[in-house]
Amino acid sequence: MKIIDHINKAKGQTLFSFEILPPVKGESVQSIFNAIDPLMEFKPPFIDVTYHREEYVYKKRENGLLEKVSTRKRPGTVGICAAIINKYSVDAVPHIICGGFSKEETENALIDLDFLGIDNVLVLRGDAIKTEGRFEPDPNGHSYASELLQQVLDLNNGEYLHEEVVRNKTNFCIGVAGYPEKHFEAPSLNTDLRYLKKKVDMGAEYIVTQMFFDNKKYFEFVDKCREAGINVPIIPGLKPITTKKQMTFLPSIFHVDLPDDLVDELEKCNDNAAVREVGIEWAIQQSKELKEAGVPCLHYYTMSRSKVTRRIAEGLF
Ligand code: FAD
């Protein structure tokens, strides 16, 4: 079932959903089931599965020289989605990205998803390769999420690459990313909103936000979206802080601010167990306020660790 239909069917009730990462290469699918099992009692109508592009690693050869090797540390997004649907009978939403894909490879992946009965995709540009400073598209790929979105829309119209006639029409519901604190490359929030509106005007049916720790930022973002004529559901993405390292890691990687009150509480913590308690309590308060405001869904970035998300969801769902 499409995400937009889940939201409409809920008739204003806030849904619970979460995002998982495919297992690290070599781990079994059971590690993912172990992460999902404890969260199933909260009845998620859908589970997102991230996509991780290739990384470069250096291997030392016998002659002492280093060889640059391209590797995918977390392959298997499509397979994990199929496994989730098969085991739990809930919808799985694969993330699809521009980075590292030619248009041909994207088309083949979308055909596989369609054959598997997957009718939702979260369409993203993807980030730069870790060792590269800026995002470089595949020479035969897409530079922006809107271009990838157009390819999905074309398939929904039965238009395939290099085919003259209309073929099987896919039926993907398309979600896109939004940034309450602005995407880090955008010169201003208004510019970023203009491109977000473009994705929605093209046919994206819902937005999932980057994590944020201050609900005010989400509410202001929603207001600005509505003023700009973006009227699709905007699902807030939440990530509880669980380690002290994340106080600097999250702002540097995800370009988000931590509110002073949260920082003050985290600084008082002597170990990560204490940090986790503060992070969970903060996320519970954020979730309660967002739920009371009637958000369509609370979407948790679990990083495939479910204990913390479970503590937050208890009492809320
Ligand atoms: P875009 O919409 O393409 O925007 C990228 C930047 O370009 C923005 O600054 C925008 O303002 C600007 N822009 C857009 N269109 C144009 C244009 N036509 N001309 C000029 N500028 C333009 N990454 C992964 O690799 N895998 C994942 O699974 C993944 N999941 C995510 C899930 C969520 C909910 C979110 C919020 C992010 C996720 N990301 C993931 C990260 C995402 O790929 C990065 O944030 C990426 O840098 C931007 O992706 P986007 O889809 O927002 O890009």
Side-chain angles (χ1 to χ4, degrees), residues 171-199:
N171 192 20
F172 291 109
C173 168
I174 302 168
V176 291
Y179 302 82
E181 296 177 61
K182 181 179 93 59
H183 184 261
F184 72 104
E185 291 168 24
S188 70
L189 183 59
N190 282 340
T191 322
D192 207 21
L193 280 177
R194 205 167 63 234
Y195 290 122
L196 179 59
K197 181 166 173 4
K198 179 178 173 181
K199 293 188 281 190

PDB file of all heavy atoms in Angstrom, residues 171-199:
ATOM      1  N   ASN A 171       3.858   1.910 -10.391  1.00  0.00           N
ATOM      2  CA  ASN A 171       2.860   2.659  -9.622  1.00  0.00           C
ATOM      3  C   ASN A 171       3.481   3.142  -8.311  1.00  0.00           C
ATOM      4  O   ASN A 171       2.934   2.923  -7.233  1.00  0.00           O
ATOM      5  CB  ASN A 171       1.676   1.710  -9.351  1.00  0.00           C
ATOM      6  CG  ASN A 171       0.477   2.449  -8.832  1.00  0.00           C
ATOM      7  OD1 ASN A 171       0.359   3.669  -9.003  1.00  0.00           O
ATOM      8  ND2 ASN A 171      -0.422   1.735  -8.167  1.00  0.00           N
ATOM      9  N   PHE A 172       4.660   3.762  -8.422  1.00  0.00           N
ATOM     10  CA  PHE A 172       5.385   4.144  -7.210  1.00  0.00           C
ATOM     11  C   PHE A 172       4.825   5.417  -6.580  1.00  0.00           C
ATOM     12  O   PHE A 172       4.580   6.404  -7.269  1.00  0.00           O
ATOM     13  CB  PHE A 172       6.866   4.389  -7.525  1.00  0.00           C
ATOM     14  CG  PHE A 172       7.624   3.151  -7.886  1.00  0.00           C
ATOM     15  CD1 PHE A 172       8.057   2.937  -9.194  1.00  0.00           C
ATOM     16  CD2 PHE A 172       7.917   2.189  -6.931  1.00  0.00           C
ATOM     17  CE1 PHE A 172       8.763   1.791  -9.543  1.00  0.00           C
ATOM     18  CE2 PHE A 172       8.622   1.032  -7.264  1.00  0.00           C
ATOM     19  CZ  PHE A 172       9.046   0.838  -8.570  1.00  0.00           C
ATOM     20  N   CYS A 173       4.641   5.354  -5.257  1.00  0.00           N
ATOM     21  CA  CYS A 173       4.375   6.568  -4.481  1.00  0.00           C
ATOM     22  C   CYS A 173       5.750   7.112  -4.096  1.00  0.00           C
ATOM     23  O   CYS A 173       6.601   6.368  -3.601  1.00  0.00           O
ATOM     24  CB  CYS A 173       3.568   6.197  -3.232  1.00  0.00           C
ATOM     25  SG  CYS A 173       3.445   7.509  -2.007  1.00  0.00           S
ATOM     26  N   ILE A 174       5.950   8.398  -4.333  1.00  0.00           N
ATOM     27  CA  ILE A 174       7.300   8.962  -4.179  1.00  0.00           C
ATOM     28  C   ILE A 174       7.367   9.920  -2.986  1.00  0.00           C
ATOM     29  O   ILE A 174       6.587  10.872  -2.891  1.00  0.00           O
ATOM     30  CB  ILE A 174       7.709   9.727  -5.469  1.00  0.00           C
ATOM     31  CG1 ILE A 174       7.652   8.775  -6.679  1.00  0.00           C
ATOM     32  CG2 ILE A 174       9.097  10.345  -5.313  1.00  0.00           C
ATOM     33  CD1 ILE A 174       7.756   9.476  -8.021  1.00  0.00           C
ATOM     34  N   GLY A 175       8.304   9.646  -2.091  1.00  0.00           N
ATOM     35  CA  GLY A 175       8.600  10.573  -1.001  1.00  0.00           C
ATOM     36  C   GLY A 175       9.929  11.260  -1.277  1.00  0.00           C
ATOM     37  O   GLY A 175      10.760  10.729  -2.022  1.00  0.00           O
ATOM     38  N   VAL A 176      10.117  12.437  -0.691  1.00  0.00           N
ATOM     39  CA  VAL A 176      11.391  13.156  -0.853  1.00  0.00           C
ATOM     40  C   VAL A 176      11.839  13.718   0.499  1.00  0.00           C
ATOM     41  O   VAL A 176      11.061  13.741   1.456  1.00  0.00           O
ATOM     42  CB  VAL A 176      11.283  14.320  -1.886  1.00  0.00           C
ATOM     43  CG1 VAL A 176      11.104  13.787  -3.290  1.00  0.00           C
ATOM     44  CG2 VAL A 176      10.164  15.291  -1.521  1.00  0.00           C
ATOM     45  N   ALA A 177      13.078  14.190   0.554  1.00  0.00           N
ATOM     46  CA  ALA A 177      13.642  14.713   1.802  1.00  0.00           C
ATOM     47  C   ALA A 177      13.433  16.219   1.916  1.00  0.00           C
ATOM     48  O   ALA A 177      13.457  16.932   0.909  1.00  0.00           O
ATOM     49  CB  ALA A 177      15.140  14.406   1.858  1.00  0.00           C
ATOM     50  N   GLY A 178      13.231  16.684   3.154  1.00  0.00           N
ATOM     51  CA  GLY A 178      13.140  18.123   3.435  1.00  0.00           C
ATOM     52  C   GLY A 178      14.020  18.449   4.642  1.00  0.00           C
ATOM     53  O   GLY A 178      14.261  17.583   5.486  1.00  0.00           O
ATOM     54  N   TYR A 179      14.464  19.675   4.722  1.00  0.00           N
ATOM     55  CA  TYR A 179      15.460  20.060   5.735  1.00  0.00           C
ATOM     56  C   TYR A 179      15.000  21.282   6.533  1.00  0.00           C
ATOM     57  O   TYR A 179      15.148  22.417   6.073  1.00  0.00           O
ATOM     58  CB  TYR A 179      16.809  20.361   5.048  1.00  0.00           C
ATOM     59  CG  TYR A 179      17.305  19.177   4.258  1.00  0.00           C
ATOM     60  CD1 TYR A 179      16.835  18.926   2.963  1.00  0.00           C
ATOM     61  CD2 TYR A 179      18.189  18.269   4.819  1.00  0.00           C
ATOM     62  CE1 TYR A 179      17.240  17.809   2.250  1.00  0.00           C
ATOM     63  CE2 TYR A 179      18.607  17.147   4.115  1.00  0.00           C
ATOM     64  CZ  TYR A 179      18.123  16.918   2.837  1.00  0.00           C
ATOM     65  OH  TYR A 179      18.519  15.809   2.144  1.00  0.00           O
ATOM     66  N   PRO A 180      14.426  21.056   7.735  1.00  0.00           N
ATOM     67  CA  PRO A 180      13.964  22.191   8.541  1.00  0.00           C
ATOM     68  C   PRO A 180      15.076  23.210   8.807  1.00  0.00           C
ATOM     69  O   PRO A 180      14.817  24.402   8.933  1.00  0.00           O
ATOM     70  CB  PRO A 180      13.501  21.528   9.842  1.00  0.00           C
ATOM     71  CG  PRO A 180      13.110  20.141   9.443  1.00  0.00           C
ATOM     72  CD  PRO A 180      14.056  19.763   8.346  1.00  0.00           C
ATOM     73  N   GLU A 181      16.324  22.739   8.867  1.00  0.00           N
ATOM     74  CA  GLU A 181      17.434  23.668   9.117  1.00  0.00           C
ATOM     75  C   GLU A 181      18.228  23.926   7.841  1.00  0.00           C
ATOM     76  O   GLU A 181      19.394  24.298   7.903  1.00  0.00           O
ATOM     77  CB  GLU A 181      18.316  23.124  10.248  1.00  0.00           C
ATOM     78  CG  GLU A 181      17.524  23.058  11.546  1.00  0.00           C
ATOM     79  CD  GLU A 181      18.291  22.452  12.713  1.00  0.00           C
ATOM     80  OE1 GLU A 181      19.324  23.010  13.090  1.00  0.00           O
ATOM     81  OE2 GLU A 181      17.828  21.425  13.236  1.00  0.00           O
ATOM     82  N   LYS A 182      17.599  23.687   6.686  1.00  0.00           N
ATOM     83  CA  LYS A 182      18.186  23.946   5.366  1.00  0.00           C
ATOM     84  C   LYS A 182      19.201  22.869   4.996  1.00  0.00           C
ATOM     85  O   LYS A 182      19.991  22.444   5.828  1.00  0.00           O
ATOM     86  CB  LYS A 182      18.851  25.342   5.357  1.00  0.00           C
ATOM     87  CG  LYS A 182      19.486  25.781   4.076  1.00  0.00           C
ATOM     88  CD  LYS A 182      20.084  27.167   4.206  1.00  0.00           C
ATOM     89  CE  LYS A 182      21.557  27.137   4.585  1.00  0.00           C
ATOM     90  NZ  LYS A 182      22.467  26.436   3.683  1.00  0.00           N
ATOM     91  N   HIS A 183      19.195  22.455   3.742  1.00  0.00           N
ATOM     92  CA  HIS A 183      20.248  21.556   3.262  1.00  0.00           C
ATOM     93  C   HIS A 183      21.559  22.332   3.261  1.00  0.00           C
ATOM     94  O   HIS A 183      21.599  23.495   2.849  1.00  0.00           O
ATOM     95  CB  HIS A 183      19.918  21.052   1.856  1.00  0.00           C
ATOM     96  CG  HIS A 183      20.918  20.056   1.357  1.00  0.00           C
ATOM     97  ND1 HIS A 183      21.935  20.394   0.509  1.00  0.00           N
ATOM     98  CD2 HIS A 183      21.082  18.726   1.632  1.00  0.00           C
ATOM     99  CE1 HIS A 183      22.673  19.310   0.258  1.00  0.00           C
ATOM    100  NE2 HIS A 183      22.165  18.296   0.928  1.00  0.00           N
ATOM    101  N   PHE A 184      22.620  21.684   3.688  1.00  0.00           N
ATOM    102  CA  PHE A 184      23.867  22.430   3.940  1.00  0.00           C
ATOM    103  C   PHE A 184      24.449  23.094   2.704  1.00  0.00           C
ATOM    104  O   PHE A 184      25.180  24.072   2.809  1.00  0.00           O
ATOM    105  CB  PHE A 184      24.910  21.519   4.614  1.00  0.00           C
ATOM    106  CG  PHE A 184      25.497  20.469   3.713  1.00  0.00           C
ATOM    107  CD1 PHE A 184      26.772  20.613   3.191  1.00  0.00           C
ATOM    108  CD2 PHE A 184      24.787  19.326   3.398  1.00  0.00           C
ATOM    109  CE1 PHE A 184      27.328  19.652   2.365  1.00  0.00           C
ATOM    110  CE2 PHE A 184      25.323  18.357   2.564  1.00  0.00           C
ATOM    111  CZ  PHE A 184      26.595  18.518   2.044  1.00  0.00           C
ATOM    112  N   GLU A 185      24.120  22.603   1.522  1.00  0.00           N
ATOM    113  CA  GLU A 185      24.684  23.226   0.313  1.00  0.00           C
ATOM    114  C   GLU A 185      23.834  24.393  -0.187  1.00  0.00           C
ATOM    115  O   GLU A 185      24.295  25.161  -1.029  1.00  0.00           O
ATOM    116  CB  GLU A 185      24.766  22.182  -0.817  1.00  0.00           C
ATOM    117  CG  GLU A 185      25.788  21.101  -0.575  1.00  0.00           C
ATOM    118  CD  GLU A 185      25.631  19.960  -1.567  1.00  0.00           C
ATOM    119  OE1 GLU A 185      25.084  20.157  -2.666  1.00  0.00           O
ATOM    120  OE2 GLU A 185      26.052  18.841  -1.230  1.00  0.00           O
ATOM    121  N   ALA A 186      22.610  24.494   0.273  1.00  0.00           N
ATOM    122  CA  ALA A 186      21.712  25.535  -0.256  1.00  0.00           C
ATOM    123  C   ALA A 186      22.135  26.909   0.277  1.00  0.00           C
ATOM    124  O   ALA A 186      22.429  27.048   1.466  1.00  0.00           O
ATOM    125  CB  ALA A 186      20.273  25.245   0.145  1.00  0.00           C
ATOM    126  N   PRO A 187      22.174  27.915  -0.585  1.00  0.00           N
ATOM    127  CA  PRO A 187      22.596  29.244  -0.134  1.00  0.00           C
ATOM    128  C   PRO A 187      21.618  29.865   0.864  1.00  0.00           C
ATOM    129  O   PRO A 187      22.010  30.697   1.675  1.00  0.00           O
ATOM    130  CB  PRO A 187      22.676  30.064  -1.424  1.00  0.00           C
ATOM    131  CG  PRO A 187      21.922  29.290  -2.453  1.00  0.00           C
ATOM    132  CD  PRO A 187      21.941  27.867  -2.033  1.00  0.00           C
ATOM    133  N   SER A 188      20.346  29.480   0.819  1.00  0.00           N
ATOM    134  CA  SER A 188      19.375  30.019   1.777  1.00  0.00           C
ATOM    135  C   SER A 188      18.230  29.022   1.910  1.00  0.00           C
ATOM    136  O   SER A 188      18.035  28.170   1.035  1.00  0.00           O
ATOM    137  CB  SER A 188      18.815  31.366   1.286  1.00  0.00           C
ATOM    138  OG  SER A 188      17.973  31.141   0.162  1.00  0.00           O
ATOM    139  N   LEU A 189      17.460  29.162   3.000  1.00  0.00           N
ATOM    140  CA  LEU A 189      16.317  28.259   3.199  1.00  0.00           C
ATOM    141  C   LEU A 189      15.302  28.438   2.067  1.00  0.00           C
ATOM    142  O   LEU A 189      14.704  27.480   1.589  1.00  0.00           O
ATOM    143  CB  LEU A 189      15.678  28.505   4.573  1.00  0.00           C
ATOM    144  CG  LEU A 189      14.523  27.578   4.932  1.00  0.00           C
ATOM    145  CD1 LEU A 189      14.940  26.113   4.934  1.00  0.00           C
ATOM    146  CD2 LEU A 189      13.930  27.915   6.298  1.00  0.00           C
ATOM    147  N   ASN A 190      15.129  29.710   1.634  1.00  0.00           N
ATOM    148  CA  ASN A 190      14.146  29.947   0.562  1.00  0.00           C
ATOM    149  C   ASN A 190      14.534  29.253  -0.745  1.00  0.00           C
ATOM    150  O   ASN A 190      13.685  28.724  -1.461  1.00  0.00           O
ATOM    151  CB  ASN A 190      13.962  31.450   0.317  1.00  0.00           C
ATOM    152  CG  ASN A 190      13.066  32.053   1.383  1.00  0.00           C
ATOM    153  OD1 ASN A 190      12.318  31.318   2.034  1.00  0.00           O
ATOM    154  ND2 ASN A 190      13.163  33.353   1.591  1.00  0.00           N
ATOM    155  N   THR A 191      15.832  29.244  -1.058  1.00  0.00           N
ATOM    156  CA  THR A 191      16.283  28.547  -2.276  1.00  0.00           C
ATOM    157  C   THR A 191      15.999  27.065  -2.129  1.00  0.00           C
ATOM    158  O   THR A 191      15.502  26.405  -3.058  1.00  0.00           O
ATOM    159  CB  THR A 191      17.811  28.707  -2.472  1.00  0.00           C
ATOM    160  OG1 THR A 191      18.183  30.012  -2.086  1.00  0.00           O
ATOM    161  CG2 THR A 191      18.241  28.420  -3.888  1.00  0.00           C
ATOM    162  N   ASP A 192      16.337  26.539  -0.953  1.00  0.00           N
ATOM    163  CA  ASP A 192      16.120  25.116  -0.704  1.00  0.00           C
ATOM    164  C   ASP A 192      14.633  24.773  -0.845  1.00  0.00           C
ATOM    165  O   ASP A 192      14.264  23.755  -1.439  1.00  0.00           O
ATOM    166  CB  ASP A 192      16.620  24.798   0.715  1.00  0.00           C
ATOM    167  CG  ASP A 192      17.064  23.350   0.866  1.00  0.00           C
ATOM    168  OD1 ASP A 192      17.366  22.713  -0.160  1.00  0.00           O
ATOM    169  OD2 ASP A 192      17.102  22.862   2.007  1.00  0.00           O
ATOM    170  N   LEU A 193      13.784  25.651  -0.310  1.00  0.00           N
ATOM    171  CA  LEU A 193      12.331  25.427  -0.390  1.00  0.00           C
ATOM    172  C   LEU A 193      11.842  25.457  -1.830  1.00  0.00           C
ATOM    173  O   LEU A 193      10.918  24.745  -2.204  1.00  0.00           O
ATOM    174  CB  LEU A 193      11.589  26.488   0.419  1.00  0.00           C
ATOM    175  CG  LEU A 193      11.530  26.276   1.933  1.00  0.00           C
ATOM    176  CD1 LEU A 193      10.835  27.439   2.605  1.00  0.00           C
ATOM    177  CD2 LEU A 193      10.796  24.973   2.256  1.00  0.00           C
ATOM    178  N   ARG A 194      12.493  26.315  -2.630  1.00  0.00           N
ATOM    179  CA  ARG A 194      12.093  26.390  -4.049  1.00  0.00           C
ATOM    180  C   ARG A 194      12.326  25.040  -4.737  1.00  0.00           C
ATOM    181  O   ARG A 194      11.477  24.555  -5.479  1.00  0.00           O
ATOM    182  CB  ARG A 194      12.894  27.503  -4.734  1.00  0.00           C
ATOM    183  CG  ARG A 194      12.191  28.070  -5.929  1.00  0.00           C
ATOM    184  CD  ARG A 194      12.763  29.344  -6.446  1.00  0.00           C
ATOM    185  NE  ARG A 194      14.118  29.204  -6.928  1.00  0.00           N
ATOM    186  CZ  ARG A 194      15.134  29.944  -6.531  1.00  0.00           C
ATOM    187  NH1 ARG A 194      14.954  30.887  -5.618  1.00  0.00           N
ATOM    188  NH2 ARG A 194      16.339  29.770  -7.031  1.00  0.00           N
ATOM    189  N   TYR A 195      13.473  24.417  -4.427  1.00  0.00           N
ATOM    190  CA  TYR A 195      13.755  23.109  -5.044  1.00  0.00           C
ATOM    191  C   TYR A 195      12.879  22.013  -4.439  1.00  0.00           C
ATOM    192  O   TYR A 195      12.512  21.062  -5.117  1.00  0.00           O
ATOM    193  CB  TYR A 195      15.239  22.769  -4.919  1.00  0.00           C
ATOM    194  CG  TYR A 195      16.103  23.659  -5.790  1.00  0.00           C
ATOM    195  CD1 TYR A 195      17.111  24.440  -5.242  1.00  0.00           C
ATOM    196  CD2 TYR A 195      15.884  23.735  -7.164  1.00  0.00           C
ATOM    197  CE1 TYR A 195      17.895  25.255  -6.047  1.00  0.00           C
ATOM    198  CE2 TYR A 195      16.655  24.566  -7.979  1.00  0.00           C
ATOM    199  CZ  TYR A 195      17.662  25.315  -7.408  1.00  0.00           C
ATOM    200  OH  TYR A 195      18.418  26.126  -8.212  1.00  0.00           O
ATOM    201  N   LEU A 196      12.553  22.168  -3.153  1.00  0.00           N
ATOM    202  CA  LEU A 196      11.645  21.192  -2.535  1.00  0.00           C
ATOM    203  C   LEU A 196      10.269  21.282  -3.203  1.00  0.00           C
ATOM    204  O   LEU A 196       9.643  20.270  -3.532  1.00  0.00           O
ATOM    205  CB  LEU A 196      11.547  21.461  -1.022  1.00  0.00           C
ATOM    206  CG  LEU A 196      10.616  20.544  -0.228  1.00  0.00           C
ATOM    207  CD1 LEU A 196      11.041  19.083  -0.360  1.00  0.00           C
ATOM    208  CD2 LEU A 196      10.611  20.942   1.261  1.00  0.00           C
ATOM    209  N   LYS A 197       9.835  22.518  -3.424  1.00  0.00           N
ATOM    210  CA  LYS A 197       8.523  22.713  -4.079  1.00  0.00           C
ATOM    211  C   LYS A 197       8.528  22.114  -5.484  1.00  0.00           C
ATOM    212  O   LYS A 197       7.543  21.507  -5.917  1.00  0.00           O
ATOM    213  CB  LYS A 197       8.171  24.204  -4.130  1.00  0.00           C
ATOM    214  CG  LYS A 197       6.816  24.473  -4.773  1.00  0.00           C
ATOM    215  CD  LYS A 197       6.362  25.878  -4.493  1.00  0.00           C
ATOM    216  CE  LYS A 197       5.123  26.354  -5.204  1.00  0.00           C
ATOM    217  NZ  LYS A 197       4.354  25.514  -6.028  1.00  0.00           N
ATOM    218  N   LYS A 198       9.669  22.261  -6.151  1.00  0.00           N
ATOM    219  CA  LYS A 198       9.774  21.692  -7.500  1.00  0.00           C
ATOM    220  C   LYS A 198       9.513  20.179  -7.436  1.00  0.00           C
ATOM    221  O   LYS A 198       8.765  19.623  -8.253  1.00  0.00           O
ATOM    222  CB  LYS A 198      11.172  21.971  -8.065  1.00  0.00           C
ATOM    223  CG  LYS A 198      11.417  21.410  -9.440  1.00  0.00           C
ATOM    224  CD  LYS A 198      12.788  21.764  -9.972  1.00  0.00           C
ATOM    225  CE  LYS A 198      13.031  21.018 -11.280  1.00  0.00           C
ATOM    226  NZ  LYS A 198      14.328  21.259 -11.860  1.00  0.00           N
ATOM    227  N   LYS A 199      10.125  19.503  -6.437  1.00  0.00           N
ATOM    228  CA  LYS A 199       9.951  18.045  -6.327  1.00  0.00           C
ATOM    229  C   LYS A 199       8.474  17.708  -6.054  1.00  0.00           C
ATOM    230  O   LYS A 199       7.943  16.744  -6.601  1.00  0.00           O
ATOM    231  CB  LYS A 199      10.845  17.483  -5.212  1.00  0.00           C
ATOM    232  CG  LYS A 199      12.352  17.589  -5.517  1.00  0.00           C
ATOM    233  CD  LYS A 199      13.224  16.855  -4.498  1.00  0.00           C
ATOM    234  CE  LYS A 199      13.443  17.595  -3.227  1.00  0.00           C
ATOM    235  NZ  LYS A 199      14.480  16.994  -2.344  1.00  0.00           N
TER     236      LYS A 199
END
